[in-house]
């Protein structure tokens, strides 16, 4: 179908979500099931062999302390949750997040471990389902059964492994945003989960801007309303802490740590370790971060309007982590849906580009694969620095994000003429076919 036909079949108010449903091929289904089961069993074996490394749940324990403080009426912001050192184990989430951690207070022993481990795995599986749905796969029993094996394979992605080990909250935020973006634009609930995610941690608020630039105004307003509701709940339950947080604690970088920390896998960390972030270097970081965010929104808008909603959302997720002042390795869980998308692309399309892109992404996220050789090490950052390659792989996720910008720009330039992509917005099956004819 030509672009001129698309202009008449897909009105500007069309849906962004993929309505054209595909079935997972039988061969791929069984191959992924077997590989995923093997990967999951191998991961479980390492957890049982070295639980102090693979499942120590230190951050989940800190969340539990925050929940205890809420119950006891003690501020979560006045002092670190563990120890007495500023920038170490301080509570950096919203008061609303502290309220969500209250149920952890009653978890102890094996139940505590099971909730930390299987809870994150269940949310990772849900994220896989949302990603596959956004790729256009039919929501049937085969998709449901394939979720856990794919999650098993993703356990070897370094940020996912670290999130599992620490009992971190990142996969929950990933699930909230992906599930929200997988909803049809006509849903009155679209935006609620994104707003809640932003009400827990501020970085998902970037997706509100994404909704605005893709002209999904109702969803953006809904997200803002949901986030505002979390702030009001925080003020109602924890007025003192809410005043502390929203009056300045949320922008205090000293609460997290020094930016040059080798595990700060963000643009600011890269600059801090290379040239510093004082004075003019701080301004350089702000300008570079703003430019990266702007380019991301431009690319994500065009990807979304041409039917590529999942890569658009993933690009935004990676960007929020790259431009954040402080991003631990486990914050980069957006690599998981990226790998899902690239694997699907490599399976569906011929040629060299898609498989090569998948291999590059796997290499960048392969820190977790080190555990195959040494189960006492879960990250490349555990190896000592000392050579020039350190500058590269200690900032690998930032470089990968920038490389994805370039790949997306090249693909859009070759596939969709500038100024014409807006006509590929979809409305039902006809619009979907029009959009797919442009992008495939």
């Amino acid at each position: 179908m030509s672009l001129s036909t698309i202009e008449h079949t897909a009105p500007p108010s069309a849906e962004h979500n993929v309505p054209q449903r595909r079935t997972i091929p039988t061969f791929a289904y069984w191959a992924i099931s077997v590989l995923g089961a093997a990967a999951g069993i191998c991961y479980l074996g390492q957890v049982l062999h070295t639980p102090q490394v693979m499942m120590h749940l230190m951050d989940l324990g800190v969340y539990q302390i925050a929940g205890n403080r809420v119950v006891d009426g003690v501020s979560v912001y006045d002092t670190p949750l563990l120890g007495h050192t500023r920038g170490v184990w301080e509570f950096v989430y919203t008061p609303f997040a502290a309220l969500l951690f209250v149920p952890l207070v009653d978890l102890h022993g094996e139940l505590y471990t099971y909730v930390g481990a299987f809870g994150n795995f269940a949310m990772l599986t849900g994220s896989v389902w949302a990603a596959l749905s956004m790729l256009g796969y039919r929501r049937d029993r085969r998709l449901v059964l394939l979720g856990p094996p794919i999650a098993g394979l993703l356990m070897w992605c370094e940020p996912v492994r670290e999130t599992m080990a620490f009992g971190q909250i990142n996969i929950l935020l990933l699930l909230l945003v992906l599930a929200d973006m997988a909803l049809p634009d006509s849903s009155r609930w679209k935006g609620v989960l994104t707003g809640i995610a932003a009400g827990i941690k501020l970085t998902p608020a970037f997706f509100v801007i994404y909704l605005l630039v893709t002209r999904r105004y109702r969803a953006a307003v809904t997200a803002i309303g949901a986030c505002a509701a979390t702030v009001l709940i925080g003020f109602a339950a924890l007025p003192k802490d809410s005043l502390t947080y929203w009056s300045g604690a949320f922008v205090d970088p000293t609460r997290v740590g020094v930016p040059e920390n080798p595990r700060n896998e963000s643009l600011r960390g890269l600059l801090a370790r290379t040239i510093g972030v004082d004075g003019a270097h701080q301004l350089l970081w702000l300008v570079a971060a703003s430019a990266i965010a702007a380019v991301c929104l431009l690319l994500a808008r065009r990807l979304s309007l041409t039917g590529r909603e999942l890569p658009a959302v993933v690009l935004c997720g990676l960007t929020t982590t790259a431009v954040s002042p402080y991003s631990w390795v486990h914050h980069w869980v957006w690599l998981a849906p990226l790998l899902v998308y690239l694997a699907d692309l490599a399976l569906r399309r011929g040629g060299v580009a898609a498989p090569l892109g998948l291999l590059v992404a796997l290499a960048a996220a392969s820190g977790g694969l080190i555990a195959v050789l040494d189960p006492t090490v879960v990250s490349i950052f555990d190896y000592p620095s000392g050579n020039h390659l350190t500058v590269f792989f200690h900032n690998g996720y930032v470089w990968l994000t920038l490389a994805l910008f370039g790949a997306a720009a090249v693909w859009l330039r070759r596939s969709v003429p500038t100024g014409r992509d807006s006509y590929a917005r979809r409305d039902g099956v006809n619009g979907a076919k029009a959009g797919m004819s442009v992008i495939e």
Side-chain angles (χ1 to χ4, degrees):
M1 183 177 290
S2 65
L3 281 171
S4 61
T5 305
I6 295 171
E7 295 178 8
H8 294 91
T9 58
S13 61
E15 298 279 0
H16 289 66
N17 300 92
V18 178
Q20 196 175 39
R21 295 296 167 186
R22 297 181 283 129
T23 301
I24 298 170
T26 301
F27 173 78
Y29 171 78
W30 286 109
I32 294 172
S33 297
V34 172
L35 292 174
I41 292 172
C42 184
Y43 173 82
L44 182 60
Q46 292 193 1
V47 170
L48 295 176
H49 185 258
T50 56
Q52 71 279 7
V53 174
M54 303 296 293
M55 197 60 64
H56 51 77
L57 301 178
M58 292 182 65
D59 283 1
L60 187 65
V62 173
Y63 299 158
Q64 190 177 53
I65 293 173
N68 272 304
R69 286 198 180 186
V70 171
V71 173
D72 296 337
V74 180
S75 173
V76 296
Y77 298 112
D78 288 351
T79 59
L81 298 180
L82 282 177
H84 305 283
T85 304
R86 287 299 311 275
V88 181
W89 300 119
E90 293 203 55
F91 193 71
V92 295
Y93 300 106
T94 66
F96 176 74
L99 294 173
L100 295 182
F101 296 142
V102 170
L104 297 175
V105 171
D106 296 325
L107 299 180
H108 303 284
E110 291 184 354
L111 180 61
Y112 171 82
T113 303
Y114 289 149
V115 169
F118 291 104
N120 259 329
F121 183 79
M123 289 186 289
L124 181 61
T125 301
S127 300
V128 170
W129 288 334
L132 292 176
S133 177
M134 293 173 72
L135 286 173
Y137 285 104
R138 185 173 292 113
R139 300 166 185 171
D140 55 11
R141 185 180 63 176
R142 181 168 289 192
L143 183 143
V144 171
L145 294 177
L146 202 58
I150 294 178
L153 288 169
L154 292 175
M155 302 299 289
W156 297 92
C157 175
E158 180 186 27
V160 173
R161 288 173 69 86
E162 289 218 346
T163 293
M164 294 289 294
F166 281 90
Q168 256 282 344
I169 199 172
N170 308 300
I171 296 177
L172 170 62
L173 301 176
L174 173 71
L175 173 61
L176 290 174
V177 174
L178 280 179
D180 199 18
M181 296 299 162
L183 291 174
D185 294 342
S186 57
S187 173
R188 68 178 64 182
W189 300 104
K190 191 177 183 75
V192 171
L193 295 180
T194 297
I196 293 174
I200 296 172
K201 185 179 179 180
L202 298 181
T203 48
F206 187 75
F207 287 95
V208 178
I209 305 176
Y210 167 68
L211 290 173
L212 288 172
V213 300
T214 52
R215 300 182 181 181
R216 286 172 279 191
Y217 301 122
R218 184 175 69 175
V221 171
T222 301
I224 294 172
C227 183
T230 68
V231 175
L232 292 176
I233 292 172
F235 268 102
L238 303 170
K240 180 178 178 295
D241 274 349
S242 293
L243 186 61
T244 299
Y245 183 80
W246 294 110
S247 63
F250 73 99
V251 291
D252 182 3
T254 63
R255 301 186 66 86
V256 184
V258 294
E260 61 268 22
N261 188 317
R263 285 177 173 264
N264 180 14
E265 183 68 5
S266 71
L267 177 66
R268 188 166 185 252
L270 186 159
L271 294 175
R273 291 186 294 270
T274 307
I275 60 175
V277 287
D278 296 326
H281 296 158
Q282 177 77 356
L283 179 61
L284 174 63
W285 167 66
L286 290 172
V287 171
S290 299
I292 289 174
V295 172
C296 168
L297 290 171
L298 176 63
L299 293 172
R301 178 180 182 275
R302 295 196 67 204
L303 285 169
S304 177
L305 294 178
T306 54
R308 292 296 193 227
E309 184 70 0
L310 180 60
V313 171
V314 167
L315 205 62
C316 288
L318 293 174
T319 298
T320 63
T321 316
V323 303
S324 176
Y326 210 104
S327 294
W328 297 98
V329 175
H330 50 68
H331 289 167
W332 286 86
V333 291
W334 281 98
L335 286 175
L338 171 67
L339 293 175
V340 171
Y341 170 69
L342 291 177
D344 175 72
L345 201 63
L347 289 172
R348 290 192 298 106
R349 302 186 66 171
V352 177
L356 181 60
L358 175 61
L359 289 176
V360 170
L362 285 171
S366 65
L369 291 177
I370 291 175
V372 173
L373 304 175
D374 185 356
T376 65
V377 177
V378 296
S379 171
I380 56 176
F381 298 97
D382 291 333
Y383 282 101
S385 303
N387 55 58
H388 293 91
L389 287 177
T390 299
V391 178
F392 179 74
F393 65 69
H394 272 197
N395 307 290
Y397 299 153
V398 178
W399 300 127
L400 175 62
T401 301
L402 296 179
L404 290 170
F405 279 20
V410 170
W411 179 86
L412 285 167
R413 184 176 180 84
R414 290 179 177 178
S415 303
V416 185
T418 303
R420 306 295 295 275
D421 55 295
S422 61
Y423 295 114
R425 302 172 103 181
R426 290 155 299 165
D427 187 16
V429 175
N430 290 335
K433 290 180 179 178
M436 296 299 287
S437 67
V438 174
I439 61 181
E440 292 296 350

